Amino acid sequence: EAYENVGWYRAGGKIDASRPMVAITFDDGPGKYTDAVLSILEKYNARATFFVQGKSVSGYKSVMKRAVTLGNEIGNHTWSHVKLTSSSSEVIAEQINATNSAVYNATGVYPKLYRPPYGAYNNAVLSCINMPAIMWSVDTLDWKTRSPAKTLESVKRSTYDGSIILMHDIHKPTLDAVESVVKHLLMNKFQLVTVSELIQARQGYAVSGRVYNSVKP
Ligand code: NI
């Protein structure tokens, strides 16, 4: 198949910082479809970033470990999907720290990034959390449409070099969209990297307290 002729695939997932790249992200898991998402990513030498709820991690420790072993990144999406802009600094710290610990216990690696639930942040939130805040530039609305075709269409319409794509691996139609999305991006010569790899390739390092919607060349 043609994707096998694409540079990224042939290079076994080695990053060329001078070439286009995008970061696929999956929120709200881990859940019962996460392992199947990992298998698709593995098949295509693709990587993604999973912004997980801390409360769900202990039930999927081996899946989290597999995600990291395959080169994917685990980010922090709070312990129980709280709206950070409505939370005290004590609650924010608990939500973030407990999730970091849960991910470390499962994988041996601490999250380096967080995504605020509902995309809700303000200056108080940003200054309270000692990590970069990762938003997105491509909102597939997969949770709303529950349509693999519409999810793919959204990616086709809106993705450019440096995009951060938002999806949710807790929904079956999203799992059903992943292979077509990955193939489409590979065929269009995008390298499929983690958010940290995207930021590192383009800017060298990520800055705590800063908000990233995309990372253009
Ligand atoms: Ni969420």
Side-chain angles (χ1 to χ4, degrees), residues 27-28 77 81 117-118 168:
D27 283 15
D28 298 352
H77 198 44
H81 214 268
Y118 316 102
H168 299 77

Side-chain angles (χ1 to χ4, degrees), residues 175-202:
L175 167 61
D176 294 338
V178 170
E179 186 155 18
S180 64
V181 166
V182 166
K183 274 176 110 165
H184 167 78
L185 293 170
L186 283 177
M187 303 280 271
N188 283 274
K189 309 292 170 66
F190 288 110
Q191 304 174 93
L192 302 180
V193 301
T194 68
V195 173
S196 283
E197 287 170 337
L198 173 63
I199 295 172
Q200 174 159 18
R202 292 279 154 82

Side-chain angles (χ1 to χ4, degrees), residues 82 84-85 87-97 124-125 128-129:
V82 296
L84 296 171
T85 50
S87 304
S88 68
S89 55
E90 290 79 11
V91 167
I92 292 174
E94 285 169 12
Q95 287 274 327
I96 294 294
N97 294 338
V125 169
C128 197
I129 301 174

Side-chain angles (χ1 to χ4, degrees), residues 7-15 44-47 191-193 197:
W8 169 252
Y9 186 87
R10 291 171 71 95
K14 192 171 181 299
I15 298 171
Y44 292 94
N45 290 337
R47 298 197 282 279
Q191 304 174 93
L192 302 180
V193 301
E197 287 170 337

Side-chain angles (χ1 to χ4, degrees), residues 24-58:
I24 299 173
T25 66
F26 294 101
D27 283 15
D28 298 352
K32 57 186 173 183
Y33 307 119
T34 306
D35 202 41
V37 169
L38 292 177
S39 294
I40 295 168
L41 294 172
E42 181 181 26
K43 175 179 173 185
Y44 292 94
N45 290 337
R47 298 197 282 279
T49 303
F50 295 82
F51 288 98
V52 301
Q53 298 188 65
K55 68 175 184 183
S56 302
V57 168
S58 64

Side-chain angles (χ1 to χ4, degrees), residues 7 9 16 18 27 33 46 48 74 87 104 127 131 138 146 149 156 170 179 194 206 211-212 214:
Y9 186 87
D16 180 344
S18 69
D27 283 15
Y33 307 119
I74 311 296
S87 304
Y104 181 81
S127 63
M131 291 189 283
V138 179
R146 307 287 174 104
K156 285 185 175 177
I170 56 169
E179 186 155 18
T194 68
V211 179
Y212 296 82
S214 63

